[in-house]
Amino acid sequence: METAHDQALLSRLFMVRHGESTCNSVHRIAGQRDAPLTILGRIQAEQVARRHRGQDFDRVYVSPLTRAFETAGIIFDDRGEQAPEVMVDDRLMERDFGSYTLESKSILQRRHGIAEYERAMNADSPTLSGGETFGQFTARVREFYEQELLPALRRGDMVCVVSHKYVVELICRFILARPADESYDLRLPNSQMLQGDRIHSYVKNENETMNMVYDWIVVNHPVVFCAGLAAGLLGNLAGLRMSTSPYLLLLLLVVASVITMCRIELENARTFVTDRGILRSVALRYIALPVAFAALVHWWGAGSTSTAVFTAIFLATPSSVVAMTVSRCLGGMIMPSFAQVLLSSLAATFSFSVVLALTLREGVVPAVAISAATSTGVVSAAYLLVRQLRQRAPIRTAKYGERNGYVAVLLLTAFIVLVSLKLHLSAATTYLPTALGIALGLRLVAALFQRHRHVQALDDYTAMTYPNIFVVVIIAALTGNTALEQVAIWTLLPMFVLSFFDQWYARFLVVAPDDARWPAVLGLKDHPPTHEPSTGSVPARS
């Protein structure tokens, strides 16, 4: 559509992707499974309602799936006599993704490659079986576009379509007259209202290659972290040894934490933070175990630079925000990992302090103060900040977190490079065996403490496997504990090299897409509910 008349016609078209659904929150593909909105999804829809309260609509076309119908209801139901005509149309349902349904997006991206995953979602691919072919999907959406949408616009109606990501993107493709082989993910965020005559400018800001690069960085973050380690070690070997301010390192950690949390379903945090299984795991893993071990080390009289002391400190170290990224990429539920990150950081105020007091000979008071500020303080502050952002700007904040996950990975990689330049390579034989033992030992502890055959088992494992080594590095740097700093930096090497083992081990922990527990966990309905159309509208299509 290129003419001025066409542009005027498109200015009367608005399209909305539904608010965040329960499947979105766990990074799984819903397709035609009937997933409801999350708390954030409803907040997002409320923001759309406020922003467009003065906009008059003649009719609204909506998908029958609950997440879309609820979104439309929140946006339009409180308009009284000015409420538009609502028409439920089955042709606006999301594509049936067959074998991809309820699969983890990250697992699919890693299994088939980013490009092949995009092809399967936006066209046809041999990796996707069952469901609808892209031709079948295109045919029904095109029928709606040509038989319902265009005639309504040509009559002069102000129209809103409330549907799903790939339906809206397909309509955009029709408007742009884009060939099928040029299609790709437009990164349309949940609940953003897109006006028809602005589609060209929206699409112009998307870059197919860079979008896939960004996804690759997140999904393959272990490779990126290891590359950062290699770069730092090579620079160190070449004589580029340098000392970076701990405050700069802390800033990198804070910003990465905020970006990571922007895409986490924090509004539902209480459900997981008060979960008895998680509370029990945190109490045993982050309080009882490290304090008991530190007491034993203290009674034994081990030196402050002994392997036993370093082990006690790492046992007490709370979980890292990296665990949330790992959970997402390995197919976990993400929020249980966040709950362990938050609770272990709060527990660290006690357990980390006790362990440091029992094991360190010098600098105990500043070490305790710094640990509280950097572990408990950073995570708690980031959580409170992001929660406020998600309340005040729910669409923009979630969009930012989704699009900039790669930035968090790169910031942590920069952290790794900078601290690697501080390593004493000549002391590798002194510190590296201890670091390797710690990394292996933490994985063994995680395997013992995880809830076997539980839907959250993978999150248990990832949370306990990735301690906040970054915090230990900062504590050691600020207190001048060179030995602890060196062990912590060296531990980064086996920690992320062993992440490739974690990818293999996760296959035994991840919840399969056909697991009978998913409907209850995600609140899925067996079939879309039957919605009665508003007075004067046509019946829903079957």
Side-chain angles (χ1 to χ4, degrees):
M1 295 186 178
E2 300 292 342
T3 67
H5 172 73
D6 290 335
Q7 286 298 305
L9 182 145
L10 288 175
S11 68
R12 297 193 293 273
L13 169 63
F14 293 80
M15 293 181 288
V16 182
R17 178 190 177 191
H18 61 80
E20 182 187 72
S21 72
T22 54
C23 282
N24 293 147
S25 70
V26 296
H27 209 55
R28 286 180 176 259
I29 297 169
Q32 293 189 0
R33 294 304 300 270
D34 201 22
L37 295 178
T38 62
I39 297 173
L40 179 67
R42 292 190 286 273
I43 294 173
Q44 290 172 332
E46 289 167 0
Q47 184 183 49
V48 177
R50 290 192 299 270
R51 283 183 176 178
H52 298 273
R53 196 175 302 280
Q55 179 72 59
D56 291 326
F57 289 95
D58 297 297
R59 62 176 57 198
V60 176
Y61 293 101
V62 59
S63 160
L65 291 172
T66 299
R67 56 192 185 274
F69 196 83
E70 283 184 355
T71 301
I74 293 170
I75 297 173
F76 298 108
D77 271 2
D78 64 347
R79 296 194 174 207
E81 294 181 357
Q82 295 182 338
E85 184 180 22
V86 177
M87 304 177 69
V88 181
D89 199 309
D90 287 358
R91 292 171 296 186
L92 290 175
M93 291 177 69
E94 183 60 284
R95 180 183 173 187
D96 182 349
F97 286 104
S99 60
Y100 272 29
T101 302
L102 294 187
E103 275 277 19
S104 162
K105 297 178 183 179
S106 297
I107 288 178
L108 291 171
Q109 289 173 328
R110 195 170 62 251
R111 182 186 300 160
H112 304 301
I114 305 293
E116 189 60 38
Y117 169 81
E118 292 294 342
R119 185 158 78 104
M121 300 301 290
N122 293 280
D124 285 313
S125 167
T127 65
L128 191 158
S129 59
E132 287 180 290
T133 66
F134 188 70
Q136 293 169 331
F137 175 52
T138 300
R140 67 171 165 89
V141 178
R142 184 179 292 279
E143 182 183 286
F144 164 80
Y145 176 72
E146 294 177 348
Q147 295 182 6
E148 293 286 346
L149 186 57
L150 287 181
L153 294 173
R154 287 166 181 158
R155 287 194 302 268
D157 289 347
M158 190 71 70
V159 176
C160 183
V161 176
V162 184
S163 188
H164 307 269
K165 171 181 168 60
Y166 292 98
V167 173
V168 173
E169 290 186 355
L170 195 51
I171 293 174
C172 290
R173 192 181 307 180
F174 298 155
I175 292 171
L176 298 173
R178 171 165 289 176
D181 59 358
E182 290 184 15
S183 66
Y184 60 92
D185 188 354
L186 297 182
R187 302 297 173 102
L188 186 68
N190 291 108
S191 281
Q192 179 166 317
M193 188 172 278
L194 180 61
Q195 193 166 358
D197 59 353
R198 296 179 182 174
I199 292 173
H200 287 82
S201 59
Y202 183 88
V203 172
K204 190 183 299 182
N205 295 325
E206 298 299 323
N207 183 294
E208 178 182 12
T209 301
M210 292 311 300
N211 284 346
M212 288 196 288
V213 169
Y214 298 154
D215 281 348
W216 188 93
I217 289 172
V218 174
V219 173
N220 296 282
H221 63 275
V223 177
V224 180
F225 289 153
C226 288
L229 278 167
L233 291 174
L234 288 174
N236 194 316
L237 191 62
L240 298 178
R241 294 192 72 249
M242 59 180 287
S243 181
T244 304
S245 167
Y247 299 104
L248 173 59
L249 298 176
L250 183 60
L251 178 62
L252 293 175
L253 183 61
V254 170
V255 177
S257 299
V258 169
I259 294 174
T260 302
M261 288 188 194
C262 279
R263 194 60 184 91
I264 307 299
E265 192 195 354
L266 300 182
E267 295 75 20
N268 198 27
R270 181 177 296 180
T271 301
F272 296 94
V273 169
T274 59
D275 179 85
R276 291 184 178 180
I278 293 177
L279 287 170
R280 184 169 54 252
S281 295
V282 170
L284 291 173
R285 166 64 184 83
Y286 294 102
I287 298 178
L289 177 63
V291 170
F293 189 81
L296 181 63
V297 169
H298 180 74
W299 174 78
W300 185 23
S304 59
T305 59
S306 67
T307 299
V309 165
F310 294 144
T311 301
I313 291 174
F314 276 96
L315 279 175
T317 303
S319 183
S320 170
V321 293
V322 172
M324 292 182 278
T325 299
V326 175
S327 171
R328 169 177 169 169
C329 294
L330 295 184
M333 290 181 62
I334 310 172
M335 271 303 297
S337 288
F338 165 76
Q340 294 218 26
V341 170
L342 181 62
L343 289 171
S344 64
S345 296
L346 294 173
T349 303
F350 168 74
S351 60
F352 213 0
S353 299
V354 170
V355 169
L356 290 172
L358 289 173
T359 57
L360 297 183
R361 304 293 189 195
E362 300 176 355
V364 175
V365 174
V368 168
I370 294 168
S371 71
T374 54
S375 59
T376 308
V378 166
V379 173
S380 301
Y383 165 64
L384 294 174
L385 171 62
V386 174
R387 178 153 184 162
Q388 283 297 311
L389 290 173
R390 285 169 67 89
Q391 286 281 340
R392 296 182 180 183
I395 299 172
R396 184 182 302 174
T397 304
K399 175 181 177 180
Y400 180 82
E402 184 68 28
R403 287 173 173 253
N404 293 281
Y406 75 96
V407 176
V409 173
L410 294 179
L411 288 173
L412 292 176
T413 303
F415 186 111
I416 292 169
V417 171
L418 291 173
V419 298
S420 297
L421 294 174
K422 300 175 68 175
L423 278 174
H424 299 158
L425 298 181
S426 60
T429 55
T430 301
Y431 298 118
L432 190 54
T434 299
L436 179 59
I438 289 171
L440 289 170
L442 288 175
R443 279 165 172 75
L444 178 60
V445 169
L448 292 174
F449 275 88
Q450 75 193 28
R451 287 166 289 178
H452 296 279
R453 300 185 183 279
H454 194 278
V455 71
Q456 298 174 15
L458 179 57
D459 291 275
D460 290 344
Y461 178 79
T462 56
M464 296 179 194
T465 299
Y466 291 85
N468 204 334
I469 297 175
F470 308 100
V471 163
V472 179
V473 172
I474 292 170
I475 293 171
L478 288 173
T479 57
N481 192 326
T482 303
L484 178 59
E485 182 183 34
Q486 289 293 307
V487 170
I489 298 172
W490 277 113
T491 301
L492 290 170
L493 178 59
M495 186 65 62
F496 292 117
V497 169
L498 286 171
S499 62
F500 296 101
F501 163 80
D502 296 335
Q503 291 181 2
W504 172 82
Y505 183 60
R507 295 185 300 172
F508 304 100
L509 305 178
V510 68
V511 179
D514 58 352
D515 192 290
R517 291 172 291 182
W518 275 127
V521 170
L522 299 177
L524 304 179
K525 298 178 176 64
D526 291 333
H527 302 287
T530 300
H531 303 289
E532 290 297 329
S534 300
T535 303
S537 64
V538 299
R541 292 183 59 91
S542 58

